[in-house]
Amino acid sequence: MHTRLGRLAPTLALLAAITLASGCAAQARVKDNGDTVVFQEQQEPDKLNPVISDMMATIDATAPMLEPLVQVDNKMVMYPQLAAKVPSIENGLVKIEGKGMVVTYPLRRNVKWHDGVPFTAEDVKFTWQVYMHPKTMVASRTGWDKITAVDIVDPFTARVHFNQIYAPFAIGVFSFILPKHILAADIADAVGGDSINKDAFNSHPIGTGPFK
Protein backbone atom coordinates (compact mmCIF):
# COMPACT_ATOMS: atom_id res chain seq x y z
CA MET A 1 0.00 0.00 0.00
CA HIS A 2 2.79 2.44 0.87
CA THR A 3 4.46 1.96 -2.51
CA ARG A 4 2.04 4.58 -3.82
CA LEU A 5 3.58 7.28 -1.64
CA GLY A 6 4.69 9.04 -4.81
CA ARG A 7 1.07 9.76 -5.70
CA LEU A 8 0.70 11.58 -2.39
CA ALA A 9 3.71 13.86 -2.96
CA PRO A 10 1.67 16.71 -4.53
CA THR A 11 -0.72 16.67 -1.57
CA LEU A 12 2.12 16.84 0.94
CA ALA A 13 3.85 19.53 -1.10
CA LEU A 14 0.65 21.58 -1.21
CA LEU A 15 0.18 21.13 2.54
CA ALA A 16 3.72 22.36 3.14
CA ALA A 17 3.19 25.36 0.86
CA ILE A 18 -0.06 26.33 2.56
CA THR A 19 1.60 25.91 5.95
CA LEU A 20 4.49 28.20 5.08
CA ALA A 21 2.24 30.77 3.43
CA SER A 22 -0.07 31.00 6.42
CA GLY A 23 2.77 31.18 8.92
CA CYS A 24 1.31 28.39 11.05
CA ALA A 25 3.44 26.01 13.06
CA ALA A 26 2.38 22.81 11.29
CA GLN A 27 5.15 20.40 10.37
CA ALA A 28 5.28 17.13 8.47
CA ARG A 29 7.87 14.41 8.91
CA VAL A 30 8.39 10.79 7.96
CA LYS A 31 9.21 8.35 10.74
CA ASP A 32 12.38 6.27 10.56
CA ASN A 33 10.60 3.19 9.23
CA GLY A 34 9.44 5.14 6.17
CA ASP A 35 5.87 3.87 6.50
CA THR A 36 4.38 6.66 8.61
CA VAL A 37 3.89 10.36 7.91
CA VAL A 38 3.24 12.60 10.90
CA PHE A 39 1.99 16.14 10.42
CA GLN A 40 0.82 18.75 12.88
CA GLU A 41 -2.21 21.01 12.41
CA GLN A 42 -3.34 24.11 14.26
CA GLN A 43 -6.75 22.48 14.73
CA GLU A 44 -7.95 18.99 15.49
CA PRO A 45 -10.37 17.58 12.87
CA ASP A 46 -13.90 17.39 14.24
CA LYS A 47 -14.51 14.32 12.03
CA LEU A 48 -12.55 12.26 9.51
CA ASN A 49 -15.31 12.38 6.90
CA PRO A 50 -15.09 15.37 4.52
CA VAL A 51 -18.76 14.96 3.55
CA ILE A 52 -19.88 16.24 6.92
CA SER A 53 -16.90 18.40 7.87
CA ASP A 54 -15.56 21.48 6.09
CA MET A 55 -12.46 21.90 8.26
CA MET A 56 -9.13 22.12 6.42
CA ALA A 57 -7.70 19.84 9.09
CA THR A 58 -10.22 17.18 8.04
CA ILE A 59 -9.36 17.59 4.36
CA ASP A 60 -5.62 17.41 5.10
CA ALA A 61 -5.97 14.35 7.32
CA THR A 62 -8.20 12.36 4.96
CA ALA A 63 -6.47 13.20 1.65
CA PRO A 64 -3.92 10.36 2.05
CA MET A 65 -6.76 7.91 2.76
CA LEU A 66 -9.76 8.87 0.62
CA GLU A 67 -8.81 9.23 -3.04
CA PRO A 68 -10.52 11.25 -5.82
CA LEU A 69 -11.43 10.15 -9.32
CA VAL A 70 -9.20 12.90 -10.73
CA GLN A 71 -6.27 14.54 -8.96
CA VAL A 72 -4.29 17.75 -9.56
CA ASP A 73 -0.50 17.81 -9.26
CA ASN A 74 1.67 20.63 -7.92
CA LYS A 75 1.75 22.22 -11.39
CA MET A 76 -2.07 22.30 -11.53
CA VAL A 77 -2.18 19.56 -14.16
CA MET A 78 -5.01 17.05 -13.80
CA TYR A 79 -4.26 13.33 -13.85
CA PRO A 80 -6.40 10.23 -13.21
CA GLN A 81 -6.37 8.76 -9.72
CA LEU A 82 -9.21 6.28 -9.23
CA ALA A 83 -10.35 7.05 -12.76
CA ALA A 84 -8.41 5.40 -15.58
CA LYS A 85 -8.57 8.57 -17.71
CA VAL A 86 -9.34 12.24 -17.20
CA PRO A 87 -12.63 12.77 -19.09
CA SER A 88 -12.63 15.42 -21.80
CA ILE A 89 -14.46 16.35 -24.97
CA GLU A 90 -11.32 15.44 -26.91
CA ASN A 91 -11.28 11.83 -25.73
CA GLY A 92 -15.05 11.47 -26.09
CA LEU A 93 -15.73 10.99 -22.38
CA VAL A 94 -17.50 14.36 -22.05
CA LYS A 95 -20.53 15.04 -24.22
CA ILE A 96 -22.87 18.01 -24.34
CA GLU A 97 -26.53 17.01 -24.41
CA GLY A 98 -28.95 19.92 -24.74
CA LYS A 99 -28.31 22.29 -21.84
CA GLY A 100 -26.57 19.59 -19.85
CA MET A 101 -23.57 17.31 -20.13
CA VAL A 102 -22.70 13.67 -19.64
CA VAL A 103 -19.33 12.60 -18.25
CA THR A 104 -18.15 9.00 -18.46
CA TYR A 105 -15.51 7.79 -16.01
CA PRO A 106 -13.63 4.59 -16.83
CA LEU A 107 -12.27 3.37 -13.50
CA ARG A 108 -9.02 1.70 -12.56
CA ARG A 109 -9.28 -2.02 -12.03
CA ASN A 110 -7.80 -4.05 -9.19
CA VAL A 111 -8.15 -1.17 -6.70
CA LYS A 112 -9.17 -2.31 -3.23
CA TRP A 113 -10.40 -0.61 -0.10
CA HIS A 114 -8.21 -0.95 2.98
CA ASP A 115 -10.29 -3.94 4.09
CA GLY A 116 -9.69 -5.77 0.80
CA VAL A 117 -13.09 -5.19 -0.83
CA PRO A 118 -12.82 -4.15 -4.53
CA PHE A 119 -13.53 -0.55 -5.53
CA THR A 120 -16.20 -0.30 -8.25
CA ALA A 121 -18.61 2.09 -9.95
CA GLU A 122 -21.10 1.29 -7.19
CA ASP A 123 -18.94 3.35 -4.83
CA VAL A 124 -18.97 6.31 -7.22
CA LYS A 125 -22.76 6.35 -7.45
CA PHE A 126 -23.09 5.80 -3.71
CA THR A 127 -20.90 8.82 -2.91
CA TRP A 128 -23.29 11.07 -4.87
CA GLN A 129 -26.27 9.48 -3.10
CA VAL A 130 -24.72 10.22 0.30
CA TYR A 131 -24.22 13.87 -0.62
CA MET A 132 -27.76 14.26 -1.89
CA HIS A 133 -29.55 12.36 0.87
CA PRO A 134 -31.69 14.95 2.69
CA LYS A 135 -30.62 13.75 6.13
CA THR A 136 -26.88 13.79 5.50
CA MET A 137 -25.45 16.77 7.34
CA VAL A 138 -23.27 17.82 4.41
CA ALA A 139 -20.86 20.74 4.61
CA SER A 140 -21.85 21.73 1.04
CA ARG A 141 -23.70 20.27 -1.95
CA THR A 142 -22.16 22.69 -4.45
CA GLY A 143 -21.54 20.83 -7.71
CA TRP A 144 -23.21 17.67 -6.46
CA ASP A 145 -26.62 19.30 -6.82
CA LYS A 146 -25.98 19.71 -10.56
CA ILE A 147 -25.89 15.93 -11.00
CA THR A 148 -29.24 14.39 -11.95
CA ALA A 149 -28.17 10.74 -12.17
CA VAL A 150 -25.19 8.39 -12.02
CA ASP A 151 -25.45 5.32 -14.25
CA ILE A 152 -23.42 2.19 -13.62
CA VAL A 153 -22.50 1.12 -17.14
CA ASP A 154 -20.49 -1.80 -15.81
CA PRO A 155 -18.49 -2.46 -12.61
CA PHE A 156 -15.66 -0.22 -13.85
CA THR A 157 -17.54 2.52 -15.71
CA ALA A 158 -19.70 5.27 -14.19
CA ARG A 159 -21.67 7.76 -16.30
CA VAL A 160 -22.58 11.05 -14.62
CA HIS A 161 -25.41 13.26 -15.90
CA PHE A 162 -25.29 17.01 -15.19
CA ASN A 163 -28.27 19.35 -15.60
CA GLN A 164 -26.02 22.08 -16.99
CA ILE A 165 -22.54 22.53 -18.40
CA TYR A 166 -20.42 22.45 -15.26
CA ALA A 167 -16.87 23.53 -16.01
CA PRO A 168 -15.15 22.29 -12.81
CA PHE A 169 -16.70 18.81 -13.07
CA ALA A 170 -13.33 17.02 -12.94
CA ILE A 171 -12.35 18.34 -9.51
CA GLY A 172 -15.55 20.03 -8.32
CA VAL A 173 -17.16 16.69 -7.46
CA PHE A 174 -15.88 13.21 -6.62
CA SER A 175 -12.84 14.71 -4.89
CA PHE A 176 -12.99 11.58 -2.74
CA ILE A 177 -15.00 8.37 -2.87
CA LEU A 178 -16.82 6.62 -0.03
CA PRO A 179 -17.08 2.82 0.43
CA LYS A 180 -20.63 1.64 -0.24
CA HIS A 181 -20.10 -1.68 1.50
CA ILE A 182 -19.29 0.12 4.75
CA LEU A 183 -21.91 2.88 4.73
CA ALA A 184 -24.83 1.71 2.59
CA ALA A 185 -27.04 0.83 5.55
CA ASP A 186 -26.63 4.35 6.93
CA ILE A 187 -28.61 5.99 4.14
CA ALA A 188 -31.19 3.23 3.71
CA ASP A 189 -34.75 4.38 4.33
CA ALA A 190 -35.19 1.56 6.85
CA VAL A 191 -32.83 3.25 9.31
CA GLY A 192 -33.96 6.80 8.68
CA GLY A 193 -31.05 7.88 6.54
CA ASP A 194 -29.19 9.87 9.16
CA SER A 195 -26.94 7.22 10.70
CA ILE A 196 -24.02 8.30 8.51
CA ASN A 197 -23.71 11.43 10.64
CA LYS A 198 -22.79 9.24 13.63
CA ASP A 199 -21.07 6.26 11.98
CA ALA A 200 -17.77 4.94 13.37
CA PHE A 201 -16.38 5.58 9.87
CA ASN A 202 -16.22 9.27 10.77
CA SER A 203 -13.32 8.59 13.11
CA HIS A 204 -11.89 5.45 11.47
CA PRO A 205 -12.30 5.92 7.68
CA ILE A 206 -11.77 3.07 5.22
CA GLY A 207 -10.21 4.33 2.00
CA THR A 208 -8.24 3.27 -1.08
CA GLY A 209 -5.30 5.61 -0.50
CA PRO A 210 -1.70 4.77 0.42
CA PHE A 211 -2.25 5.47 4.12
CA LYS A 212 -4.62 4.35 6.86
Side-chain angles (χ1 to χ4, degrees):
M1 180 172 62
H2 302 302
T3 57
R4 293 166 57 200
L5 177 60
R7 290 180 179 269
L8 185 61
T11 301
L12 295 178
L14 179 60
L15 173 61
I18 293 173
T19 296
L20 292 173
S22 62
C24 65
Q27 296 182 10
R29 63 186 176 86
V30 179
K31 283 190 173 181
D32 292 341
N33 61 12
D35 290 335
T36 304
V37 169
V38 179
F39 65 93
Q40 176 182 331
E41 292 274 349
Q42 285 186 314
Q43 297 175 307
E44 180 179 355
D46 55 350
K47 297 176 181 67
L48 292 180
N49 184 345
V51 175
I52 56 179
S53 174
D54 59 358
M55 293 181 65
M56 274 306 301
T58 297
I59 296 172
D60 291 342
T62 56
M65 295 181 279
L66 301 175
E67 295 181 299
L69 292 184
V70 175
Q71 185 62 279
V72 180
D73 67 16
N74 55 3
K75 295 183 180 179
M76 299 307 293
V77 176
M78 292 186 293
Y79 64 92
Q81 186 81 19
L82 289 175
K85 295 180 180 178
V86 178
S88 67
I89 290 178
E90 290 74 17
N91 62 22
L93 296 177
V94 177
K95 295 183 179 179
I96 306 302
E97 291 190 356
K99 294 183 179 180
M101 60 188 290
V102 179
V103 180
T104 300
Y105 288 94
L107 305 177
R108 287 173 49 209
R109 297 168 183 259
N110 302 316
V111 175
K112 294 184 178 180
W113 296 96
H114 292 158
D115 59 3
V117 174
F119 158 74
T120 71
E122 292 280 357
D123 300 304
V124 176
K125 180 175 182 177
F126 175 75
T127 301
W128 168 66
Q129 291 174 325
V130 169
Y131 262 99
M132 297 310 298
H133 196 288
K135 291 189 178 181
T136 304
M137 297 174 62
V138 296
S140 172
R141 288 191 173 92
T142 300
W144 298 93
D145 56 358
K146 295 173 175 56
I147 298 173
T148 58
V150 177
D151 301 332
I152 298 174
V153 180
D154 60 50
F156 300 103
T157 309
R159 185 165 292 146
V160 183
H161 299 260
F162 291 84
N163 61 13
Q164 66 182 66
I165 297 174
Y166 183 56
F169 73 90
I171 56 176
V173 290
F174 300 111
S175 54
F176 56 88
I177 304 297
L178 297 174
K180 180 178 179 179
H181 70 286
I182 296 291
L183 297 169
D186 286 344
I187 66 166
D189 292 340
V191 294
D194 61 350
S195 298
I196 195 168
N197 303 313
K198 310 166 190 174
D199 196 281
F201 178 91
N202 300 332
S203 57
H204 296 86
I206 299 294
T208 58
F211 288 91
K212 298 180 180 180

